[in-house]
Amino acid sequence: MELELRNGDYVPDGVGGLRRVSGREALTQRILYRLTARRGAFPFWETLGSRLWELGKHPAAERPAAARQYVAEALTEEPDIEVESVTLHEAPGGRAEVSVSLRHNGAALPLTVEVTM
């Protein structure tokens, strides 16, 4: 069971606690967390998170390949997850959307995360 995150904040359950999710929803929350947390920011869990925020350090032509590498790297500790495709959509102001097509036990799991490069 995972705590639900929405726009970077935990979601209240309406009775003084925090909303918990399970199953596929919990998996989605875990993956989103792994993709948006900055890799290396947790001193006791250095492999948690991604380096998607580093995309701006690469020349524009290299960013799509780097995004795929960073997504795969972030999800190596998630069992039964296959990265099928990663698409980078850059926006003005150093922002980007990363669309990810995953498979979990044969079922499709599409996700999109916003990153600041």
Side-chain angles (χ1 to χ4, degrees):
M1 210 177 260
E2 305 287 329
L3 293 174
E4 182 178 1
L5 280 170
R6 188 176 306 138
N7 299 324
D9 293 321
Y10 291 111
V11 178
D13 64 5
V15 291
L18 299 172
R19 185 169 183 272
R20 295 191 175 273
V21 293
S22 60
R24 188 170 175 92
E25 199 174 354
L27 174 65
T28 302
Q29 291 289 310
R30 237 182 8 258
I31 290 171
L32 287 171
Y33 189 78
R34 286 183 181 279
L35 293 176
T36 56
R38 286 185 173 211
R39 190 176 192 92
F42 302 93
F44 299 106
W45 196 355
E46 293 176 0
T47 59
L48 178 65
S50 76
R51 294 187 295 151
L52 288 170
W53 59 277
E54 292 182 355
L55 288 172
K57 296 179 180 180
H58 297 277
E62 295 176 9
R63 290 178 189 157
R68 180 168 175 76
Q69 175 189 340
Y70 294 162
V71 167
E73 179 181 84
L75 300 179
T76 56
E77 295 178 9
E78 279 296 327
D80 306 321
I81 292 290
E82 259 181 76
V83 178
E84 289 189 328
S85 67
V86 176
T87 308
L88 179 65
H89 304 281
E90 293 190 45
R95 300 194 56 79
E97 277 190 353
V98 180
S99 299
V100 183
S101 293
L102 304 171
R103 287 229 169 255
H104 177 255
N105 294 330
L109 183 63
L111 297 169
T112 300
V113 295
E114 281 190 24
V115 295
T116 303
M117 300 186 296

